[in-house]
Amino acid sequence: MKFVTKFSVLVAISMLATGCVTQRGVEPSESVPTEINVDKSSSGDQTNNDALDKEVDGSEQASEDEADEANEPIEVPKQKIGVFINANEFPSHTHVGTTKFNNFSKEYAYDWQIASTLFTKLKAAIEQSSRFEVVDVSPKVKGAWQLDFVVKQDNNWSFNENQNALRKSLLADGVTKIIIVQEAPTVAITECGTYGCSEHQSEGFGLFTRSFLGTDYYIASASFDISIESLDKPVDIASKPLFKELKDDAMKNVRIEEFVPPEDFDEVTEKELAPIKDSIISYFDRLAETAAKYFSNQ
């Protein structure tokens, strides 16, 4: 009996010892770490895919850039229209009296800036069309006599061979058309009577006056000769119907009904000449508008 009891005690002690080892060895809440195996080949594939995506994106961006460049409008060179203006610096006063002994022509030192005003108006009107550029050709020209590029022979227009060198030089600079405005005498007034008609000329731009037996006429004289020619083909543009009125001396010389007679007929002041200047500038406006209309329709 004692033996059984002792044996039972030994078994119990043995079981307790086993339980302690189990508790001290591994806690129930603890877990054994598991080794994570990473597939290295998968990582390499991802890197290759990223590189391919970048390459595709770059190719697409390049294609978009090329498409944008292709869609950009191509700038067409502007057609150059040359302008040459030959005019005196100051306005003049031409007077025709009852007899030739009363006639005179004089110049007033009033700075009307006629040439620069006309050039500015031509440039502003013509360049409203983005196809044109107006340039001053006076640095290449000695005189208006050099600019007679187109002549008429047997009812046909042809180039003046004597001016071929200058014409080709202007063409090389991109000038295909040219406008020449030269101060020149014009018929300011025509008087007709029993014995026929007589014409009286204005010698230059400014004031023209006519006195006859106590009657005075005051005329604003835009006394200029207008020529417009093509340099790449023989065409006298100014001879076209559109410019007919502008080349008519009657349109260049306008009677100013409201003109106030000057206090000193021999020394007309700049203020007294203001209506004359305004009328001449108005002629420039019509010339510029007509030229712009012609070129814009070409």
Side-chain angles (χ1 to χ4, degrees):
M1 189 69 180
K2 290 181 180 179
F3 175 78
V4 173
T5 303
K6 290 181 179 180
F7 180 77
S8 299
V9 171
L10 289 173
V11 171
I13 292 171
S14 176
M15 291 177 65
L16 288 172
T18 303
C20 290
V21 171
T22 302
Q23 288 180 348
R24 290 177 183 175
V26 179
E27 293 293 332
S29 61
E30 292 182 3
S31 60
V32 178
T34 303
E35 182 180 357
I36 300 174
N37 294 323
V38 178
D39 190 345
K40 294 182 179 180
S41 63
S42 298
S43 176
D45 291 343
Q46 182 62 39
T47 302
N48 292 336
N49 289 338
D50 291 343
L52 181 59
D53 289 342
K54 290 181 180 179
E55 183 178 348
V56 171
D57 291 343
S59 177
E60 290 178 352
Q61 183 62 44
S63 298
E64 290 177 1
D65 292 341
E66 291 176 359
D68 290 341
E69 291 178 1
N71 291 331
E72 290 181 0
I74 299 175
E75 186 175 353
V76 179
K78 293 184 178 181
Q79 298 181 45
K80 291 184 180 180
I81 298 175
V83 173
F84 179 81
I85 301 171
N86 182 25
N88 289 327
E89 186 176 1
F90 304 124
S92 64
H93 176 194
T94 302
H95 177 69
V96 177
T98 303
T99 68
K100 64 180 182 180
F101 301 106
N102 303 120
N103 298 350
F104 68 83
S105 180
K106 66 178 300 182
E107 190 176 82
Y108 290 103
Y110 302 143
D111 187 14
W112 285 7
Q113 299 182 356
I114 286 295
S116 61
T117 299
L118 175 55
F119 180 84
T120 299
K121 288 185 175 294
L122 286 169
K123 185 176 180 67
I126 295 172
E127 289 185 355
Q128 285 184 0
S129 170
S130 59
R131 296 188 294 122
F132 301 107
E133 178 185 0
V134 175
V135 296
D136 180 12
V137 299
S138 57
K140 301 194 71 169
V141 180
K142 296 179 181 179
W145 55 270
Q146 282 189 296
L147 302 177
D148 188 17
F149 296 114
V150 180
V151 294
K152 199 169 188 178
Q153 296 178 342
D154 300 327
N155 292 324
N156 294 316
W157 294 104
S158 61
F159 286 125
N160 183 354
E161 294 183 0
N162 295 328
Q163 307 300 345
N164 269 344
L166 179 58
R167 181 177 66 84
K168 291 179 179 179
S169 176
L170 291 170
L171 281 171
D173 292 338
V175 178
T176 58
K177 307 288 187 296
I178 191 164
I179 300 173
I180 305 108
V181 181
Q182 181 176 11
E183 187 174 7
T186 56
V187 176
I189 189 171
T190 301
E191 296 173 333
C192 297
T194 305
Y195 301 101
C197 298
S198 59
E199 296 178 341
H200 302 291
Q201 286 190 335
S202 171
E203 297 301 323
F205 75 89
L207 172 65
F208 175 89
T209 53
R210 166 65 168 148
S211 297
F212 184 74
L213 300 177
T215 302
D216 297 325
Y217 298 98
Y218 299 92
I219 294 173
S221 181
S223 201
F224 298 97
D225 181 54
I226 309 297
S227 177
I228 306 174
E229 298 181 359
S230 175
L231 303 184
D232 52 358
K233 52 186 176 181
V235 178
D236 184 354
I237 297 171
S239 66
K240 294 183 176 298
L242 183 64
F243 296 92
K244 183 177 180 179
E245 287 190 357
L246 290 168
K247 291 178 66 68
D248 187 350
D249 283 0
M251 299 298 295
K252 299 175 185 178
N253 294 275
V254 179
R255 184 176 175 181
I256 308 299
E257 299 288 351
E258 68 277 10
F259 189 84
V260 178
E263 293 184 5
D264 184 351
F265 193 80
D266 294 328
E267 289 293 335
V268 185
T269 67
E270 186 171 14
K271 183 177 180 179
E272 290 170 334
L273 284 175
I276 304 300
K277 179 182 178 181
D278 291 343
S279 179
I280 295 172
I281 299 302
S282 178
Y283 174 80
F284 290 166
D285 287 332
R286 296 197 304 274
L287 173 60
E289 291 169 4
T290 304
K293 180 179 179 180
Y294 172 82
F295 290 123
S296 64
N297 289 333
Q298 298 306 299

